[in-house]
């Protein structure tokens, strides 16, 4: 859409070109505004004495990375993140695939209420659940347990995982399974050998999306984990400034980049597909 | 609720077949009941008690009836948080992310492929960065010596510590930056399904761009707009890390939205019962918002 639209039919090609030009200019402007904070983190991470403002590093250095690439600052928090998010993602993906199968293949009177519950749970603000979860975890001694945090992360991603997986599974034609049924294959065999291989791209979307969400999650591990040696990167980044007394901006930036890198790489691997799967799930189809 | 639906058998025979078919649902249902439905039920219990982390209510837990709720509703700090939550949600989600996302999606349809591609990549990058990183990027961007003040300085404008001067707007802008990509992706997908024939026909009939957008495009993608508004509203209602790291809810309580208020009450002051009551009120606001959006959908499209 454009602001110039009143000229009569004679000007159509010119008008269209002007509209294109305006669109391009506006987009470049928005992109420039959006990228200022991003430029800061990139420049500051290779700047020997980074400050709060974006400054082009005249003598770039990897010193900041050197300073944070050690067991305590980077390797352990990243490993913790990997354990938490990898475990959580595994729980979500496996449970979602299992749950989606009957939901996608069979009809039952319980199906609609179940799906509605799932969709409702998708919108549940997890933040609001964290205080009771913490209180409950205190009761059963699960606070500061990696397993507890992992299972909770996995469960919190389940409603969306089931919903997304079911949508992808609905796209797999039923005919192929039917012949397997007649040959006497069990439900699990059909799911594992026929349905899942056919929906590999969909499963990849669910896996990567779940992992990316968990990787960035701050509140859940912040609430459920206490010991410094168990903290994932999201929380250790928060404690970064207090660890160093005075904030070393360059190191903060370097660690931010190291911590963000896995999700950016995963996103690039998926490319457009994540966006597509995402938008599809947005158009709530029951 | 979820537990019964899975095990529920139809009134007619074939109980066994239903059970076998429902079996793969079991792991998911067990987890959801234990770790999601469980805490909510537990929250309903806690909210009526004086459970605390220390002091009175730590040793013995007593029922206090509706005291937590009446305390909250008569507490100016609670209402301060409600108002801030609404400001944050309306400014950053309903206005900011929604309109910016739509503008981006519309502009990309006209723009050169390369420009659209690069802009899309940058906007999406802001979206996939972890929350904590986004919070730090905006803290430095808006800080006393930050990039924004540098830019304003070169333009000859006065500088400010934005996190202190306009905290709720500062966190709102950070949230717009972070969330615009979601809306952009949703609307891009929806717009690609709007048939160009209809739009061109209107153009030939002399409808201007604004008119075409309002009378043709919006009604066609109305369902996506409502779904998107609902999703971003719910996401924004529960934003915690971004605000917690950027301002800590301050200065004072001037950016203390409900999740931060809830956290402060439950942890800094140790009032688990009261904090849970606030959490339930937050859940209620989320539920009301979803119902409102669902009701706005055209009748035949209701769930």
């Amino acid at each position: 859409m454009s602001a110039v639209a009143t000229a009569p039919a004679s000007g159509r090609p010119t008008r269209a070109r002007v509209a294109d030009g305006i669109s391009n200019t506006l987009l470049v402007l928005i992109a420039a505004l959006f990228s200022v904070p991003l430029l800061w983190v990139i420049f500051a991470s290779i700047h020997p004495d980074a400050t709060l403002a974006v400054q082009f590093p005249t003598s770039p250095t990897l010193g900041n990375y050197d300073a944070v690439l050690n067991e305590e600052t980077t390797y352990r928090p990243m490993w913790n993140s990997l354990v938490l998010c990898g475990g959580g993602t595994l729980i979500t993906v496996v449970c979602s695939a299992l749950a989606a199968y009957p939901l996608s293949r069979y009809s039952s009177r319980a199906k609609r209420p179940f799906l509605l519950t799932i969709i409702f749970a998708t919108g549940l603000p997890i933040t609001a659940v964290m205080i009771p979860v913490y209180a409950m975890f205190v009761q059963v001694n699960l606070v500061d347990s990696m397993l507890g945090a992992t299972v909770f992360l996995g469960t919190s991603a389940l409603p969306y995982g089931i919903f997304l997986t079911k949508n992808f599974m609905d796209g797999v034609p039923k005919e192929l399974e039917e012949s397997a049924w007649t040959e006497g294959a069990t439900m699990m065999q059909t799911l594992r050998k026929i349905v899942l291989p056919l929906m590999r791209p969909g499963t990849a979307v669910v896996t990567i999306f779940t992992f990316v969400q968990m990787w960035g999650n701050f509140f859940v591990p912040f609430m459920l984990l206490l010991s410094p040696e168990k903290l994932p990167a999201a929380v250790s980044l928060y404690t970064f400034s207090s660890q160093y007394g005075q904030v070393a901006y360059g190191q903060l930036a370097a660690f931010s980049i190291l911590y963000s890198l896995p999700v950016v790489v995963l996103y690039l691997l998926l490319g457009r597909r994540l966006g597509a799967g995402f938008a599809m799930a947005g158009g709530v189809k029951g | 609720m979820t537990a019964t639906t899975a095990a529920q058998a139809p009134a007619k025979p074939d109980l066994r077949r239903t059970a076998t078919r429902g079996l793969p649902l079991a792991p998911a249902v067990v987890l959801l009941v234990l770790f999601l439905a469980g805490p909510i039920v537990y929250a309903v219990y806690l909210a009526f008690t004086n459970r605390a982390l220390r002091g009175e209510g730590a040793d013995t837990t007593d029922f206090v009836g509706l005291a937590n709720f009446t305390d909250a509703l008569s507490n100016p700090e609670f209402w301060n948080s409600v108002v801030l939550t609404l400001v944050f949600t309306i400014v950053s989600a309903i206005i900011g992310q929604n309109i910016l996302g739509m503008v981006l999606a519309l502009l990309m349809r006209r723009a050169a492929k390369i420009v659209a591609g690069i802009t899309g990549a940058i906007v999406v990058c802001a979206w996939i960065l972890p929350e904590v990183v986004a919070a730090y990027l905006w803290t430095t961007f808006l800080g006393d010596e930050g990039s924004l003040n540098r830019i304003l300085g070169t333009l000859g404008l006065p500088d400010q510590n934005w996190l202190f001067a306009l905290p709720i707007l500062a966190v709102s802008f950070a949230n717009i930056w972070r969330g615009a990509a979601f809306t952009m992706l949703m609307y891009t997908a929806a717009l690609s399904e709007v048939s160009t024939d209809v739009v061109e026909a209107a153009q030939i009939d002399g409808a201007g761009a604004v008119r075409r957008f309002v009378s043709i495009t919006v009604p066609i993608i109305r369902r996506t707009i409502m779904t998107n508004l609902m999703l971003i509203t719910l996401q924004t209602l529960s934003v915690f890390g971004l605000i917690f790291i950027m301002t800590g809810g301050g200065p004072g309580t001037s950016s203390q939205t409900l999740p931060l208020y809830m956290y402060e009450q439950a942890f800094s002051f140790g009032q688990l019962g009261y904090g849970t009551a606030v959490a339930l009120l937050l859940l209620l606001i989320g539920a009301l918002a979803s119902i409102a959006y669902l009701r706005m959908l055209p009748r035949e499209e209701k769930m």
Side-chain angles (χ1 to χ4, degrees):
Chain A
M1 83 170 235
S2 67
V4 276
T6 35
S10 66
R12 165 118 177 72
T14 335
R15 209 172 60 191
R17 238 180 295 137
V18 171
D20 290 355
I22 292 176
S23 301
N24 282 324
T25 317
L26 282 174
L27 276 184
V28 169
L29 203 67
I30 295 176
L33 286 173
F34 258 76
S35 55
V36 178
L38 294 171
L39 285 179
W40 176 81
V41 76
I42 295 168
F43 288 168
S45 78
I46 50 170
H47 200 289
D49 31 33
T51 61
L52 283 173
V54 176
Q55 356 163 234
F56 191 77
T58 39
S59 50
T61 160
L62 289 177
N64 292 321
Y65 288 94
D66 263 348
V68 296
L69 277 175
N70 56 57
E71 171 76 24
E72 200 198 349
T73 317
T74 301
Y75 300 133
R76 200 172 51 203
M78 294 284 268
W79 171 250
N80 290 339
S81 288
L82 194 67
V83 171
L84 271 179
C85 305
T89 305
L90 190 71
I91 292 174
T92 306
V93 172
V94 171
C95 292
S96 297
L98 287 170
Y101 191 70
L103 292 173
S104 171
R105 273 12 191 191
Y106 304 126
S107 57
S108 152
R109 252 187 268 173
K111 184 169 141 180
R112 198 178 146 78
F114 185 83
L115 275 175
L116 284 175
T117 312
I118 288 293
I119 290 168
F120 180 75
T122 305
L124 205 68
I126 291 298
T127 308
V129 187
M130 284 318 294
I131 303 287
V133 166
Y134 178 84
M136 205 176 84
F137 273 33
V138 169
Q139 296 287 308
V140 294
N141 225 348
L142 268 178
V143 170
D144 205 24
S145 138
M146 283 293 263
L147 183 69
T150 306
V151 174
F152 180 74
L153 271 176
T155 309
S156 64
L158 254 183
Y160 200 71
I162 295 176
F163 181 60
L164 211 53
T165 312
K166 182 198 169 278
N167 273 349
F168 283 120
M169 211 176 267
D170 286 346
V172 177
K174 238 175 157 178
E175 290 73 27
L176 290 159
E177 285 160 87
E178 271 157 9
S179 58
W181 287 116
T182 51
E183 312 249 321
T186 66
M187 184 165 60
M188 283 302 151
Q189 285 169 332
T190 328
L191 175 63
R192 198 160 45 89
K193 297 219 172 110
I194 298 173
V195 183
L196 286 180
L198 283 173
M199 55 175 286
R200 220 172 265 149
T203 314
V205 171
V206 179
T207 309
I208 294 182
F209 180 72
T210 309
F211 187 84
V212 168
Q213 288 292 97
M214 285 181 190
W215 190 262
N217 194 311
F218 167 75
F219 202 27
V220 173
F222 179 65
M223 293 281 287
L224 299 180
L225 296 171
L226 308 169
S227 320
E229 70 274 7
K230 289 181 187 162
L231 297 182
V235 186
S236 79
L237 179 55
Y238 171 67
T239 51
F240 203 90
S241 45
S242 51
Q243 250 180 47
Y244 284 75
Q246 203 189 355
V247 180
Y249 292 112
Q251 296 180 20
L252 184 85
F255 182 63
S256 296
I257 288 191
L258 291 170
Y259 164 44
S260 308
L261 215 55
V263 289
V264 174
V265 169
L266 280 177
Y267 185 86
L268 290 178
L269 276 181
L270 266 201
R272 272 154 201 280
R273 244 190 261 145
L274 184 60
F278 211 45
M280 181 191 80
V284 190
K285 300 170 202 161
Chain B
M1 167 161 65
T2 26
T4 48
T5 43
Q8 215 170 56
K12 289 194 175 162
D14 272 338
L15 196 89
R16 249 181 76 191
R17 201 180 68 172
T18 312
T20 329
R21 286 181 168 187
L23 202 63
L25 279 165
V29 171
V30 168
L31 285 177
L32 288 170
V33 167
L34 279 183
F35 291 97
L36 224 49
I40 294 173
V41 172
Y42 190 53
V44 175
Y45 158 77
L46 273 184
F48 291 95
T49 70
N50 66 349
R51 171 77 54 84
L53 290 173
R54 49 191 173 269
E56 195 192 349
D59 307 326
T60 53
T61 305
D62 296 317
F63 271 96
V64 293
L66 287 169
N68 287 326
F69 293 96
T70 49
D71 282 358
L73 296 176
S74 60
N75 187 339
E77 279 201 14
F78 170 78
W79 288 108
N80 171 58
S81 298
V82 173
V83 171
L84 288 172
T85 308
L86 290 177
V87 171
F88 180 63
T89 308
I90 293 170
V91 171
S92 71
I94 298 176
I95 298 175
Q97 292 179 9
N98 188 44
I99 293 181
L100 182 59
M102 178 65 89
V103 167
L104 282 166
L106 288 169
L107 288 176
M108 281 178 171
R109 281 165 75 77
R110 289 226 78 132
K113 247 197 177 131
I114 174 117
V115 176
I118 292 173
T119 310
I122 292 171
V123 173
V124 166
C125 191
W127 176 54
I128 50 170
L129 280 187
E131 190 178 22
V132 187
V133 174
Y136 278 119
L137 293 190
W138 275 79
T139 310
T140 58
F141 180 63
L142 297 175
D144 239 345
E145 324 250 292
S147 304
L148 182 61
N149 282 336
R150 280 288 174 86
I151 297 169
L152 291 178
T154 43
L155 297 174
L157 293 164
D159 59 4
Q160 285 270 9
N161 189 333
W162 300 101
L163 293 170
F164 281 91
L166 298 165
I168 195 70
L169 284 184
V171 293
S172 297
F173 276 99
N175 196 45
I176 295 173
W177 181 82
R178 203 172 124 69
F182 178 88
T183 305
M184 179 187 83
L185 292 172
M186 291 270 287
Y187 288 160
T188 302
L191 287 175
S192 69
E193 279 167 26
V194 176
S195 128
T196 45
D197 296 355
V198 189
V199 180
E200 271 165 17
Q203 192 170 15
I204 290 164
D205 289 344
V210 176
R211 183 65 202 271
R212 291 200 300 271
F213 177 69
V214 173
S215 310
I216 299 170
T217 315
V218 168
I220 296 177
I221 64 168
R222 183 169 159 185
R223 188 184 166 133
T224 308
I225 294 176
M226 285 302 159
T227 312
N228 179 57
L229 279 173
M230 181 170 89
L231 292 174
I232 61 177
T233 300
L234 290 168
Q235 282 164 10
T236 307
L237 277 178
S238 62
V239 168
F240 175 83
L242 190 74
I243 305 177
F244 185 73
I245 289 163
M246 282 181 71
T247 68
T253 55
S254 52
S255 60
Q256 192 179 53
T257 55
L258 271 174
L260 277 95
Y261 178 68
M262 173 193 85
Y263 174 81
E264 187 191 50
Q265 294 297 321
F267 285 90
S268 307
F269 305 146
Q271 298 300 322
L272 279 184
Y274 183 76
T276 318
V278 175
L280 282 181
L281 291 170
L282 179 59
L283 279 176
L284 186 73
I285 295 176
L288 287 178
S290 323
I291 292 169
Y293 286 123
L294 287 177
R295 297 208 113 203
M296 276 190 270
L297 282 177
R299 178 156 301 206
E300 72 276 15
E301 290 178 3
K302 269 188 194 151
M303 301 268 317

